Amino acid sequence: EVQLLESGGDLLQPGGSLRLSCAASGFSFSTNDMSWFRQAPGKGLEWVSSISASGDKTFHADSVKGRFSISRDNSKNTLLLQMNSLRAEDTALYYCTRGTSHPGDWGQGTLVNVSS
Amino acid sequence: DVVMTQSPLSLSVTLGQPASISCRSSQSLVYSDGNTYLSWFQQRPGRSPRRLIYKVSNRDSRVPDRFSGSGSGTDFTLKISRVEAEDVGVYYCMQGIQWPRTFGQGTKLEIK
């Protein structure tokens, strides 16, 4: 069974940094592209970042480009999202997913709350 | 960016009756490999999104066969043949052909 377990969410002030992790199991992590999506409170779904299976290609939404960085550790089956210069509008539930074109598996999400 | 437009944005359906959601994209979703990367997701209240349909009409395992997807090019539809109580939630379409990936606004389904 595929499992994606996000962690690292927190309450922090604007300008702060945070690193999200996603522990993957139940599938071949190193052969799957992975993504982060987010959902602000009461809002719709928004794509954030994606990374190729080997990690050599990364993609980021314009809203996070230059502030967020997606990476992965295939030896530990872990997906990461480094978030810097956080803003109030980054407040959301962040989901880790398997796949990028039509993500088939989603984690339960980790909450990032940016507030002064 | 590819703009995804869903309609209606809310739907109130009697149990056992059909429901239909439309999704239109601002550009063709046919990729160079011949596949069309349009998928549908269901998000029940308080739950993570769940993929129902991928590549227009391929239903995920464990998704009831009352759900079906159809369409081509820029015009797509999700149909529920007979709505059940567990279908309450928000439904999203998503394009996977171009960066950034984009979603429709969501359609909220409730029981009348």
Side-chain angles (χ1 to χ4, degrees):
Chain A
E1 181 196 359
V2 171
Q3 288 201 351
L4 299 168
L5 189 60
E6 303 94 335
S7 61
D10 205 353
L11 168 62
L12 67 168
Q13 294 189 337
S17 296
L18 204 57
R19 190 173 83 158
L20 304 184
S21 295
C22 171
S25 61
F27 66 100
S28 175
F29 182 75
S30 63
T31 61
N32 278 264
D33 299 341
M34 300 290 292
S35 299
W36 289 97
F37 291 81
R38 68 184 180 183
Q39 187 169 36
K43 301 296 185 184
L45 297 170
E46 180 188 15
W47 169 73
V48 176
S49 302
S50 294
I51 187 167
S52 61
S54 65
D56 62 334
K57 297 189 187 73
T58 61
F59 306 88
H60 297 274
D62 284 347
S63 58
V64 307
K65 206 169 284 184
R67 301 187 299 123
F68 290 12
S69 178
I70 189 172
S71 62
R72 63 192 297 159
D73 185 339
N74 284 348
S75 69
K76 295 182 180 177
N77 288 356
T78 300
L79 178 70
L80 301 166
L81 186 67
Q82 179 65 43
M83 310 164 70
N84 298 327
S85 303
L86 281 159
R87 305 168 180 166
E89 54 264 35
D90 296 318
T91 293
L93 191 57
Y94 284 72
Y95 295 103
C96 163
T97 75
R98 181 168 73 107
T100 65
S101 298
H102 40 77
D105 298 290
W106 295 62
Q108 86 292 341
T110 187
L111 183 62
V112 174
N113 190 346
V114 185
S115 173
S116 54
Chain B
D1 298 1
V2 179
V3 177
M4 306 296 288
T5 304
Q6 286 181 231
S7 64
L9 298 185
S10 66
L11 206 47
S12 184
V13 182
T14 301
L15 287 173
Q17 292 301 301
S20 181
I21 300 170
S22 169
C23 176
R24 288 191 170 144
S25 58
S26 61
Q27 302 174 31
S28 172
L29 300 186
V30 181
Y31 192 54
S32 54
D33 63 5
N35 289 309
T36 301
Y37 289 93
L38 183 282
S39 47
W40 289 96
F41 298 86
Q42 176 196 61
Q43 188 173 32
R44 291 170 171 152
R47 303 291 298 274
S48 298
R50 166 201 185 196
R51 193 180 69 186
L52 299 174
I53 303 282
Y54 62 97
K55 288 191 274 186
V56 181
S57 59
N58 295 273
R59 192 171 50 245
D60 273 273
S61 59
R62 289 178 285 184
V63 172
D65 61 7
R66 64 178 183 277
F67 289 91
S68 64
S70 63
S72 62
T74 62
D75 205 343
F76 307 94
T77 303
L78 175 71
K79 289 183 178 170
I80 310 174
S81 58
R82 295 172 307 279
V83 169
E84 297 189 6
E86 65 178 19
D87 300 336
V88 165
V90 181
Y91 292 80
Y92 298 92
C93 60
M94 180 196 131
Q95 65 82 14
I97 188 178
Q98 200 179 101
W99 305 103
R101 304 307 194 217
T102 48
F103 290 88
Q105 314 96 303
T107 296
K108 186 172 184 178
L109 174 68
E110 64 171 27
I111 303 301
K112 194 181 293 182

